[in-house]
Amino acid sequence: MGKINKTLGEFIIENQSSFQYTTGELSKLIHAIRLAAKVVNHEVNKAGLVDILGDAGDTNVQGEDQQKLDVLANEKFIQTLKNREIVCGIASEEEDDFIAINSNDEQHQNKYVVLIDPLDGSSNIDVNVSVGTIFSVYRRVTPVGTPVTLKDFLQPGKNQVAAGYVVYGTSTMLVYTTGDGVNGFTLNPAIGTFYLSHPNMQFPETGKIYSVNEGNYIHFPQGVKDYIKYCQKEEEDRPYTSRYIGSLVSDFHRNMIKGGIYMYPKSSKAQKGKLRLLYECNPMAFLAEQANGKAVDGHQRIMDIQPTELHERVPFFCGSKKMVEKAEEFMAKS
Ligand SMILES: O=P(O)(O)OC[C@H]1O[C@](O)(COP(=O)(O)O)[C@@H](O)[C@@H]1O
Ligand SMILES: [Mg+2]
Ligand SMILES: [Mg+2]
């Protein structure tokens, strides 16, 4: 009899007891994210057939043109979480402000807030290149039953209780952690079930892939330029291979499997880089550290940063530990 792959549902139940605060609420939350991921996956897969490619005609709080799939994915995740009343607040890349859920209902005992990047890699939607969804979960810091506040969202990444992503690629995978390692589940589209396909994912200590938008090279700080030159030099196990999909989730996923470093540095054009701390960098940093990798902003651990704004950006260097440390060395010298 062939190898039996555990379903995501079975895995969640089995691992519920390993979670410190277990009441089943976090399990319900992961179940809801799984459901919303399947709904969005269905839309992504047939995007070219129905009118959901292209601009939605609006811009989000960051001044970016919203794609129709950004808006659709945002609605599906918010709806799915709201309808199940398992969170007390949601923040999203596509929403100016956080959404408080039932905050004035005394009975409302929910204690988790979720931050999402509903559709990551928006520039790849129309060209059939893999995109994703990113999520991050915290326990609220304000008392249960009282209105949720911005404070509940502006927590350092090290306070996360869960984080993960969905990659809508050649196959659809959900990869997540609750602080007890990283596990990947592949969707069997025929029956709509996620199966454990990548148990205990680990970043190789080092690798031969670097991922950065080299089109911004001349605008990068000297230390970053020097590290990129180091990656390209004919020496020892180098040059490394340059791979850049332009979807953070997909570049991260590949580098976690093969070994590599993803960089979105600050530049003279973007003083804080591009990626958002709360729903892009913190969740990927939690996953990276749980998978023996590393994530920094060039000088400090991403998960130690105290956020001050919902949509703040930070420079991001993430991946195989030895490669991130080498990049830090170059940045420290410049
Ligand atoms: O086109 P650029 O400047 O290289 O940026 C690509 C990066 O921006 C992002 O698309 C930002 O995420 P969103 O698509 O969710 O806005 C990342 O996924 C990706 O790594
Ligand atoms: Mg994104
Ligand atoms: Mg996005």
Side-chain angles (χ1 to χ4, degrees), residues 64 93 117 119-122 213 244 246-248 262 264 274 276 280:
E64 290 165 347
E93 177 191 1
D117 176 355
L119 208 288
D120 178 62
S122 307
N213 184 340
Y244 190 70
S247 296
L248 165 64
Y262 169 97
Y264 208 106
K274 176 181 182 178
R276 283 52 59 116
E280 290 175 318

Side-chain angles (χ1 to χ4, degrees), residues 91-104:
S92 163
E93 177 191 1
E94 305 306 335
E95 301 285 337
D96 297 11
D97 207 346
F98 66 86
I99 302 165
I101 300 190
N102 296 339
S103 52
N104 53 13

